[in-house]
Amino acid sequence: KDVTSTTYKDHDVVMKLDDGYSIVEVKDPDDLITEGTLMQNCLKEEYWPKRIESGESRILSLRDSHDKPHASIEVNEMGIVKQCYGKQNDPPIGKYQDLIADFFIKADMVDSIQNLPTAKNNPKYLAAMAKSKNTAIREFVATSPYSSVDTLLQLAKDQNEWVRCAVGANENTPPDILAMLAIDEHVGVRSEVVTNKKIPLDLLKLMAEEDSY
């Protein structure tokens, strides 16, 4: 096949997303070459068709309404996301991160992205992981310095006290969220707030006066 081709043979849509974007599974060997060529990544290498055929890997592609790829995603046989990159193996840009995170949530794949190197410092992916049913994953997100304020607020209302404890201990948690956790029903949560190095002095004094921890 001409490696300069920019046309895909198949269009196996896995999920339609907002604004005309979709997640497409890439199976055809020629389409793998097209994906690798357009994205300037290793998918054009000859070993990929065997990995796809054996079930060792699935390749998903974020495409726009013109069938142009913007991210390539590798998922292994266990359903774990192994790679998720934009062009030239750079992280996807913000807009595409939002779309990919939305896909992970809707496809119930949030637990599978925790090992992605880019997930641990990416607010978009952390926000997706915050919706996990796995308490340990939500607790990890609650401790992250990269979690957004909205994510921290969501986790501050989590039903699990250990998740709320992690938010209370996070030095990036804003004062208003710390104030909310300062009156939490569990003393462990309140204790994490009072020992947080970034707790406002007035809140610390108030907690001390009320002996709330």
Side-chain angles (χ1 to χ4, degrees):
K1 180 182 179 178
D2 179 4
V3 296
T4 62
S5 173
T6 59
T7 303
Y8 293 96
K9 292 171 61 177
D10 296 332
H11 198 76
D12 187 3
V13 177
V14 174
M15 184 180 294
K16 292 184 178 181
L17 303 172
D18 292 341
D19 300 326
Y21 287 86
S22 59
I23 296 292
V24 179
E25 185 164 4
V26 186
K27 299 178 181 178
D28 185 87
D30 287 346
D31 285 348
L32 287 167
I33 294 176
T34 298
E35 181 83 6
T37 300
L38 293 174
M39 295 299 292
Q40 299 179 33
N41 61 30
C42 67
L43 288 175
K44 57 182 178 289
E45 301 297 333
E46 61 183 13
Y47 57 83
W48 276 104
K50 292 182 179 179
R51 294 180 65 170
I52 301 301
E53 185 177 357
S54 70
E56 180 182 353
S57 296
R58 294 176 66 202
I59 298 300
L60 305 176
S61 176
L62 174 66
R63 308 266 182 87
D64 62 24
S65 58
H66 302 290
D67 213 23
K68 179 180 178 181
H70 297 282
S72 299
I73 306 166
E74 180 191 1
V75 182
N76 70 9
E77 68 274 15
M78 302 296 292
I80 304 297
V81 180
K82 301 296 290 184
Q83 303 184 70
C84 180
Y85 291 113
K87 195 171 184 179
Q88 296 180 326
N89 287 333
D90 286 333
I93 66 172
K95 177 181 180 179
Y96 306 138
Q97 289 175 8
D98 288 345
L99 290 164
I100 294 166
D102 187 43
F103 166 67
F104 287 149
I105 293 169
K106 291 179 178 177
D108 197 21
M109 294 174 67
V110 293
D111 289 1
S112 75
I113 65 175
Q114 60 179 319
N115 294 324
L116 277 178
T118 53
K120 295 179 180 179
N121 60 2
N122 187 310
K124 307 295 184 182
Y125 296 156
L126 288 166
M129 292 164 64
K131 298 180 183 297
S132 172
K133 297 176 183 177
N134 187 318
T135 301
I137 293 177
R138 300 199 309 278
E139 189 174 348
F140 166 77
V141 176
T143 65
S144 174
Y146 300 100
S147 290
S148 69
V149 172
D150 286 344
T151 298
L152 292 173
L153 178 59
Q154 172 191 330
L155 294 175
K157 301 174 183 177
D158 197 278
Q159 292 184 349
N160 186 280
E161 65 181 282
W162 296 109
V163 175
R164 302 199 304 277
C165 280
V167 178
N170 191 327
E171 294 183 8
N172 286 333
T173 300
D176 58 330
I177 298 179
L178 288 177
M180 180 177 74
L181 293 173
I183 56 174
D184 192 275
E185 61 180 333
H186 287 278
V187 66
V189 177
R190 302 195 300 271
S191 294
E192 292 293 350
V193 172
V194 83
T195 57
N196 190 314
K197 294 180 180 179
K198 297 297 180 67
I199 183 173
L201 184 57
D202 57 345
L203 179 58
L204 180 60
K205 289 180 178 180
L206 180 61
M207 294 183 72
E209 289 172 0
E210 297 181 354
D211 194 21
S212 61
Y213 60 97

